[in-house]
């Protein structure tokens, strides 16, 4: 009979449970938790080595046995080396040293958790990058202040801009060598610049910005700007070197010493100077070797706390100075005691490499272990190798070790990671032209004469060279020559994140913090800061109701993508508009000329002809000192002939026009009546004065075969002024009588016989005005002889009756009216043709 639950006692329930547990244990069907707890510690450590930090933390909350196991730091150490360094749980860890591993926490538990969270944030954080433009020129250096503010310098303009990279805000005003310009930071920097700046080194002490300025003339300035990001116009402390202390040549490099109490400069004069910034002045200057050519110093590094500084020259030599007393560096004029120097010549080019002759020092770092020994990292221009100089200052011994792979090309940039811990090893990260980074053991000893090869090589970019490298304890940031930045894990070298190029320029500098990256690309600054993520890779907090505007929504990527497309289209439109403005006018002009059938020379002649016609109409009817109311024209010069030799000499004239000169009425009135030539049309001729010299022809200035004017008797078909008649005044001077036999009588004799008041050499005359001929009849032209350079004037038979006077005047008026009508018709036809050509071009090109 089955008992009801109310009838079962507590003792019976306990006995039933004990018998069931014994039965399960005897047949091996105990629960898994009970069997896992019974495992030995070695087996449990092997299992937990494959768990991530989150799983380990939850495992420690299940039981006291697991809590004690997870509490042991060896458990976290084994899990770290298994998952990070890929070392099996059973392998011996004694003497294990990872080349790129740098511990930042006091225990392996904190180290594993910190690296795990940081890796997830670099991989899964959805915070966008922020780009701003603090300068209109390329950025030379950047410096991050403690409150995530940014100082960026531009050597081209010699100014320093202040901005907040994670908001894109740019503060007003620039810092320069004169203090602070209080103009608009987003305005025209051409009004706020300092010329001839060669070096600008940035540093900070709290909220105070420290800047070293070096100029082309060798002068040095140091500026301290307090509360530089507060927005107030605080007064900057500016110190400038005196003429006696400055360099003889441009300043090539500068560095800050310690907390900003001193600074170093290297100049093109081959000297190194130490400057005290508290009482500004030069406290030490290196001596130059006499009898040798000047070797400019390009790089300088210091460890004045150990009494040492090193400089690299253009010829590749290293200048080592040691024995400084750091305590007296702040007092200008104080004695530095005995300073020793050592010069190291560069090694020869490696075999198989092309010696270009350029041995300038491009990379220089100093690793000082003691005041008497140091290791110097040196990289030379166009050299595929870099070198380590181990210097023993007491014995004056130098050991040289070469690093690199000549097959990888020249190393564009290098970043050392020296270590002062005995359990850690220093290493060098070098970026080459093939887009790869190589890891070198800084303390390696070569076994042969060959250079030390890299311990690890990672391909980062497939289509660009390495331009910049930044290293911290967790990640390595690499910038390319195309503006792209990628981040890899410093231990596993796995790709964590990639930042697209804001502009296709080379990355100049990268500042890398724990979870922050700031880089300069051309004139732009790109900034990114990792945000918190949850277990699924998103943000740990969710908002109810209205969604957050800043952040991580999926549609933001699409909006950014569409915005990039729109910006690209705008740039294309602006470029096309610029091309149309630059070349459209030229194409339009050429097409119009082609439609008219004109060359450029003919077009210029036509324009000159129109301007001449317009000027003639403006002066028509106006009175002047010259006959017929016409002004004198340039380019016509008279030549005086001797008065005594009147039978063989005459007064001649020359014109600057390539065609023969036109005839104009004389400058003095004459009693001769107007003459009609062969019954065609009346024409007025000029009378001349007796000759005063034997010079035949004078032409000034020299003739140039260019269309400098239109009109006269030019041979161009566009010279329409040549077919116009000239108005004739009845009361003006007339032609002299012409001999019936056809012989030519000197014109000056004829005019002098009729008028006793002949023109003097200095008087005005009408030969400077061109004569316009009608198109119907061509009168005899004025001939110019090239052999004798004489200008002879033929005389014509004329009639002196009053009827011819009246007929000539009537014909004159009619010819002028017809000419004006023809000009208007010609202009109207040209305008129609130009309009038609322009309309055809608009249809074809779409302008």
């Amino acid at each position: 009979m089955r008992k009801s639950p109310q009838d079962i006692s507590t003792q019976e329930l306990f006995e039933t449970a004990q018998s069931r547990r014994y039965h399960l244990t005897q047949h091996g069907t105990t629960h898994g938790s009970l069997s896992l707890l019974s495992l030995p510690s070695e087996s449990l450590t092997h299992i937990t080595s494959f768990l991530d930090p989150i799983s380990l933390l939850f495992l420690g909350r299940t039981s006291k046995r697991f809590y004690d196991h997870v509490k042991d730091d060896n458990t976290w150490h084994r899990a770290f080396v298994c998952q990070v360094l890929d070392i099996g749980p059973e392998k011996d860890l004694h003497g294990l040293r990872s080349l790129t591993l740098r511990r930042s926490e006091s225990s392996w538990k904190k180290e594993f958790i910190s690296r795990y969270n940081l890796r997830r944030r670099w991989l899964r954080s959805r915070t966008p990058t922020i780009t701003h433009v603090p300068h209109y020129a390329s950025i030379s250096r950047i410096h991050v202040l403690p409150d995530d503010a940014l100082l960026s310098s531009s050597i081209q303009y010699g100014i320093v801009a202040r901005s907040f990279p994670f908001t894109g805000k740019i503060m007003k005003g620039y810092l320069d060598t004169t203090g602070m310009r209080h103009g608009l930071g987003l305005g025209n920097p051409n009004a706020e610049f300092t010329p001839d700046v060669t070096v600008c080194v940035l540093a900070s002490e709290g909220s105070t910005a420290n800047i070293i300025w070096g100029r082309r003339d060798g002068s040095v300035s140091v500026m301290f700007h307090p509360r530089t990001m507060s927005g107030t116009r605080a007064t900057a402390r500016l110190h400038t070197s005196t003429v006696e202390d400055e360099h003889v040549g441009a300043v090539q490099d500068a560095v800050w010493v310690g907390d900003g109490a001193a600074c170093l400069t290297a100049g093109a004069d081959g000297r190194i100077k130490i400057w005290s910034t508290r009482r500004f002045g030069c406290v030490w200057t290196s001596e130059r070797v006499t009898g040798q050519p000047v070797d400019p110093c390009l790089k300088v590094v210091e460890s004045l706390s150990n009494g040492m500084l090193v400089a690299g020259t253009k010829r590749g030599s290293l200048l080592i100075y040691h024995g400084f007393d750091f305590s007296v560096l702040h007092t200008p004029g104080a004695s530095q005691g005995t300073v020793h120097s050592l010069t190291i010549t560069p090694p020869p080019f490696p075999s198989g490499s092309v010696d270009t002759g350029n041995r300038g020092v491009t990379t220089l770092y100093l690793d000082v272990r003691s005041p008497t020994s140091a290791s110097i990292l040196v990289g030379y221009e166009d050299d595929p190798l870099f070198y380590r100089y181990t210097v023993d200052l007491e014995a004056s011994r130098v050991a040289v070790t070469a690093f690199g792979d000549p097959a990888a090309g020249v190393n564009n940039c290098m970043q050392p990671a020296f270590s002062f811990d005995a359990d850690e090893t220093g290493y060098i990260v070098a970026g080459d032209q093939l887009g790869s980074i190589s890891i070198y053991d800084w303390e390696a000893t070569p076994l042969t004469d060959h250079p030390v090869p890299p311990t690890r090589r990672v391909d980062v970019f497939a289509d660009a060279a390495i331009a910049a490298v930044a290293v911290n304890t967790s990640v390595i940031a690499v910038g390319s020559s195309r503006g792209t930045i990628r981040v890899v894990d410093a231990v596993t070298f796995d790709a964590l994140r990639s930042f697209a190029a804001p502009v296709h320029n080379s990355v100049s500098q990268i500042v890398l913090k724990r979870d922050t990256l700031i880089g300069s690309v051309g004139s732009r600054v790109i900034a990114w800061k990792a945000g918190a993520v949850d277990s699924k890779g998103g943000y740990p907090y969710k908002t109810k109701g209205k969604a957050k505007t800043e952040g991580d929504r999926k549609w933001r990527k699409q909006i950014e993508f569409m915005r990039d497309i729109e910006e690209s289209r705008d740039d294309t439109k602006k470029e096309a508009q610029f091309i149309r403005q630059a070349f459209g006018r030229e194409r339009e002009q050429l097409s119009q000329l082609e439609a008219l059938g004109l060359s450029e020379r003919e077009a210029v002649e036509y324009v000159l002809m129109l301007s001449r016609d317009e000027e003639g109409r403006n002066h028509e009817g106006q009175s002047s000192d010259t006959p017929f109311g016409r002004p004198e024209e340039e380019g016509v010069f008279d030549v005086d002939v001797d008065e005594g030799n009147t039978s063989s000499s005459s007064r001649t004239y020359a014109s600057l026009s390539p065609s023969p000169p036109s005839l104009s009425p004389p400058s003095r009135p004459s009693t001769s009546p107007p003459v009609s030539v062969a019954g065609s049309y009346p024409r007025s001729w000029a009378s001349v004065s007796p000759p005063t010299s034997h010079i035949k022809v004078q032409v000034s200035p020299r003739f140039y075969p260019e269309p400098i004017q239109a009109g006269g008797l030019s041979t161009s078909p566009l010279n329409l002024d040549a077919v116009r008649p000239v108005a004739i005044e009845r009361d003006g001077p007339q032609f002299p009588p012409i001999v019936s036999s056809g012989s030519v009588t000197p014109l000056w004799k004829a005019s002098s016989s009729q008028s006793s008041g002949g023109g003097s050499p200095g008087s005005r005359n009408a030969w400077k005005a061109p004569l316009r001929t009608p198109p119907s009849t061509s009168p005899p032209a004025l001939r110019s002889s090239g052999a004798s350079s004489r200008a002879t004037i033929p005389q014509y038979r004329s009639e002196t009756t009053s009827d011819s006077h009246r007929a000539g005047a009537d014909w004159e008026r009619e010819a002028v009216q017809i000419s004006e009508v023809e000009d208007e018709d010609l202009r109207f036809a040209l305008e129609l043709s130009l309009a038609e050509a322009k309309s055809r071009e608009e249809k074809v090109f779409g302008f």
Side-chain angles (χ1 to χ4, degrees):
M1 182 176 179
R2 188 174 181 180
K3 296 181 180 181
S4 62
Q6 292 80 5
D7 299 334
I8 299 177
S9 61
T10 306
Q11 183 65 24
E12 292 178 348
L13 290 174
F14 179 77
E15 293 176 354
T16 303
Q18 290 292 337
S19 61
R20 181 175 299 178
R21 180 178 300 175
Y22 176 80
H23 178 74
L24 294 175
T25 305
Q26 285 294 108
H27 294 82
T29 58
T30 310
H31 293 293
S33 61
L34 299 178
S35 62
L36 185 61
L37 289 173
S38 61
L39 291 176
S41 60
E42 293 82 3
S43 300
L44 191 59
T45 302
H46 180 90
I47 295 173
T48 56
S49 297
F50 297 94
L51 298 180
D52 57 68
I54 297 178
S55 300
L56 281 174
L57 291 175
F58 278 108
L59 180 63
R61 299 177 182 178
T62 56
S63 66
K64 189 177 185 306
R65 167 73 188 279
F66 289 151
Y67 175 79
D68 295 336
H69 177 75
V70 172
K71 188 178 179 180
D72 188 5
D73 199 50
N74 181 65
T75 302
W76 293 92
H77 188 195
R78 282 292 179 175
F80 180 85
V81 298
C82 180
Q83 300 180 42
V84 176
L85 303 179
D86 197 16
I87 298 175
E90 289 81 11
K91 292 185 179 180
D92 187 13
L93 301 181
H94 180 70
L96 176 66
R97 298 197 321 179
S98 176
L99 183 61
T100 58
L101 177 61
R102 296 288 185 272
R103 288 187 59 180
S104 58
E105 302 293 342
S106 58
S107 65
W108 287 107
K109 176 182 179 180
K110 295 180 180 179
E111 184 72 24
F112 192 20
I113 294 175
S114 175
R115 285 185 176 270
Y116 179 80
N117 292 333
L118 188 61
R119 178 184 174 91
R120 291 175 67 249
R121 294 176 68 184
W122 277 101
L123 278 171
R124 301 182 181 182
S125 179
R126 299 181 184 178
T127 54
T129 58
I130 299 174
T131 304
H132 70 287
V133 185
H135 289 281
Y136 292 92
S138 297
I139 298 174
S140 56
R141 291 194 184 187
I142 58 176
H143 176 75
V144 181
L145 297 173
D147 54 352
D148 287 338
L150 184 69
L151 299 177
S152 56
S153 64
S154 173
I155 295 298
Q156 181 177 352
Y157 286 99
I159 55 178
V160 175
R162 302 165 298 161
S163 60
F164 293 93
F166 296 106
T167 61
K169 179 182 178 181
I170 303 174
M171 299 194 65
K172 295 182 179 180
Y174 293 115
L175 304 178
D176 61 2
T177 58
T178 61
M180 179 178 178
R181 301 275 186 172
H182 296 295
L184 292 178
L186 294 176
N188 185 7
N190 294 320
E192 305 180 59
F193 72 97
T194 303
D196 300 331
V197 173
T198 57
V199 173
C200 181
V201 181
L202 307 175
S204 62
E205 185 180 358
S207 61
T208 302
N210 303 340
I211 305 174
I212 303 175
W213 305 93
R215 298 186 183 87
R216 200 177 305 277
D217 58 356
S219 60
V220 178
S221 298
V222 176
M223 186 179 68
F224 301 91
H225 189 254
R227 302 184 302 277
T228 184
M229 304 303 297
S230 62
T232 60
R233 299 186 177 183
T235 303
R237 292 190 296 114
L238 182 67
H239 307 283
T240 305
S241 61
T242 61
V243 178
E244 294 81 6
D245 293 339
E246 64 185 21
H247 289 272
V248 183
V251 179
Q252 300 292 340
D253 194 17
V255 293
W256 284 101
V257 178
D259 56 351
C263 63
L264 275 74
T265 58
D269 55 353
R271 297 177 182 267
I272 301 98
K273 293 179 178 289
I274 302 178
W275 305 81
S276 175
T277 58
R278 295 181 179 176
R279 294 178 58 188
F280 188 76
C282 181
V283 298
W284 180 82
T285 303
S286 64
E287 296 294 335
R288 193 171 58 192
V289 179
T290 59
Q292 295 183 2
V294 177
D295 192 5
C297 293
L298 302 181
K299 295 288 183 180
V300 61
V301 292
E302 58 82 26
S303 180
L304 292 180
S305 58
N306 294 314
M308 185 185 307
L309 67 86
V310 181
T313 66
K314 189 175 183 179
R315 296 191 182 97
S317 301
L318 293 181
L319 306 178
I320 303 175
Y321 300 92
H322 59 95
F324 291 98
D325 187 1
F326 188 72
S327 60
V328 298
L329 287 178
H330 309 312
T331 306
S335 175
Q336 293 294 325
T338 303
V339 177
H340 304 280
S341 63
L342 179 64
T343 303
I344 303 176
T345 58
F349 260 75
S351 59
S353 301
V354 179
D355 189 356
T356 59
N358 298 325
R359 299 294 286 173
V361 176
T362 58
T363 304
L364 186 63
Y365 292 96
L366 183 60
D367 181 17
V368 179
R369 298 300 177 92
S370 67
T372 58
S373 63
S375 297
I376 307 172
L377 171 63
V378 182
Y380 297 100
E381 186 177 356
D382 296 337
D383 195 340
L385 306 180
F386 61 93
Y387 302 89
R388 181 188 65 199
Y389 293 88
T390 305
V391 183
D392 187 357
L393 298 178
E394 291 182 348
S396 298
R397 290 197 306 266
V398 179
V400 183
T401 304
F403 296 81
D405 183 8
V410 179
N411 293 315
N412 295 333
C413 55
M414 284 176 284
Q415 181 65 41
F418 301 133
S419 176
F420 300 97
D421 191 349
D423 296 334
E424 297 176 350
T425 305
Y427 65 93
I428 309 296
V429 180
D432 51 43
Q433 292 180 340
L434 301 181
S436 303
I437 58 173
S438 301
I439 312 299
Y440 296 90
D441 185 1
W442 176 241
E443 301 177 1
T445 301
L447 302 177
T448 61
D449 295 336
H450 298 284
V452 176
T455 59
R456 183 70 179 269
R457 184 183 178 89
V458 182
D459 294 333
V460 182
F461 300 103
D463 57 348
I466 305 297
V469 174
V471 180
N472 64 6
T473 58
S474 303
V475 295
I476 300 175
V478 185
S480 72
S481 58
R482 293 179 178 266
T484 306
I485 300 176
R486 292 182 181 177
V487 180
V488 299
D489 192 286
V491 180
T492 63
F493 301 102
D494 296 333
L496 300 181
R497 203 172 191 90
S498 179
F499 301 95
V503 62
H504 291 291
N505 286 343
S506 179
V507 179
S508 58
Q509 187 179 353
I510 300 176
V511 176
L512 191 62
K513 292 186 177 181
R514 181 177 179 83
D515 57 352
T516 302
L517 182 143
I518 300 175
S520 59
V521 185
S523 61
R524 290 171 171 80
V525 173
I526 180 174
W528 181 85
K529 187 173 185 179
V533 294
D534 59 5
S535 59
K536 297 182 180 180
Y539 280 93
Y541 306 106
K542 296 182 179 180
T543 58
K544 295 182 179 180
K546 188 176 180 181
K548 291 184 177 181
T549 56
E550 74 277 1
D552 55 328
R553 299 297 180 259
K554 296 181 179 179
W555 46 265
R556 285 193 173 274
K557 293 184 178 180
Q558 184 178 3
I559 292 178
E560 293 178 359
F561 182 70
M562 298 301 295
R563 188 180 301 166
D564 293 340
I565 294 176
E566 189 66 25
E567 292 178 356
S568 178
R569 289 177 178 174
D570 293 341
D571 294 340
T572 304
K573 290 180 181 179
K574 291 180 181 179
E575 183 178 0
Q577 184 179 3
F578 173 77
I579 293 175
R580 286 197 299 267
Q581 291 178 355
F583 302 103
R585 185 175 299 176
E586 182 179 358
R587 285 201 304 267
E588 181 181 359
Q589 181 180 359
L590 293 177
S591 62
Q592 291 177 358
L593 292 177
E594 184 179 0
L596 293 174
L598 303 177
S599 63
E600 293 186 2
R601 182 184 179 88
E602 293 173 345
V604 172
E605 291 180 355
Y606 177 72
V607 173
L608 292 174
M609 179 268 293
L610 293 180
S611 62
R612 187 181 179 87
D613 289 346
E614 184 178 359
E615 183 180 2
R617 286 193 298 269
N618 293 336
H619 290 281
E620 188 174 350
Q622 298 179 0
S623 60
S624 62
D625 295 338
T626 58
F628 296 90
R630 296 181 178 273
E632 295 184 356
E633 297 184 8
E634 298 180 358
V636 180
F637 303 88
D638 57 331
V639 181
D640 295 335
V641 190
D642 289 345
E643 297 181 358
N645 191 9
T646 58
S647 60
S648 60
S649 301
S650 63
R651 186 172 183 177
T652 58
Y653 296 85
S655 174
L656 293 178
S657 176
S659 59
S662 303
L663 300 180
S664 300
S667 60
R668 300 180 66 86
S670 175
T671 57
S672 302
V675 181
S676 177
V677 180
S680 58
Y681 62 94
R683 180 177 291 234
S684 176
W685 294 91
S687 61
V688 297
S689 59
T692 59
S693 67
H694 293 285
I695 301 175
K696 296 179 180 180
V697 175
Q698 293 179 354
V699 180
S700 176
R702 182 176 299 177
F703 167 74
Y704 294 96
E706 295 291 338
I708 60 174
Q709 68 175 3
L713 299 178
S714 175
T715 58
S716 172
L718 295 176
N719 205 342
L720 302 180
D721 285 346
V723 298
R724 292 185 179 181
V726 182
I728 300 177
E729 297 181 4
R730 294 183 177 277
D731 298 333
Q734 308 300 331
F735 283 105
I738 301 176
V739 182
S740 59
S741 61
S743 61
V744 179
T745 305
L747 185 59
W748 67 271
K749 285 188 175 183
S751 65
S752 62
S753 64
Q754 295 182 11
S755 176
S756 60
S760 62
S763 63
R764 297 178 179 267
N765 58 76
W767 289 89
K768 298 179 181 179
L771 178 63
R772 300 179 180 179
T773 59
S776 58
T777 306
S778 298
L782 179 66
R783 299 177 181 179
S784 176
S785 175
S788 61
S789 300
R790 291 178 179 269
T792 60
I793 305 175
Q795 298 181 358
Y796 301 98
R797 187 179 301 275
S798 61
E799 298 179 0
T800 59
T801 60
S802 60
D803 295 337
S804 63
H805 281 262
R806 289 192 296 270
D810 296 338
W811 185 93
E812 169 73 22
R813 287 192 294 271
E814 293 177 1
V816 170
Q817 295 176 0
I818 294 173
S819 176
E820 291 178 354
V821 173
E822 290 177 352
D823 288 346
E824 294 295 332
D825 294 339
L826 179 59
R827 288 193 180 89
F828 181 72
L830 290 176
E831 290 176 358
L832 289 179
S833 62
L834 291 176
E836 184 179 359
K838 186 175 181 180
S839 63
R840 289 199 303 268
E841 185 177 4
E842 290 177 352
K843 293 180 180 180
V844 174
F845 297 98
F847 291 148

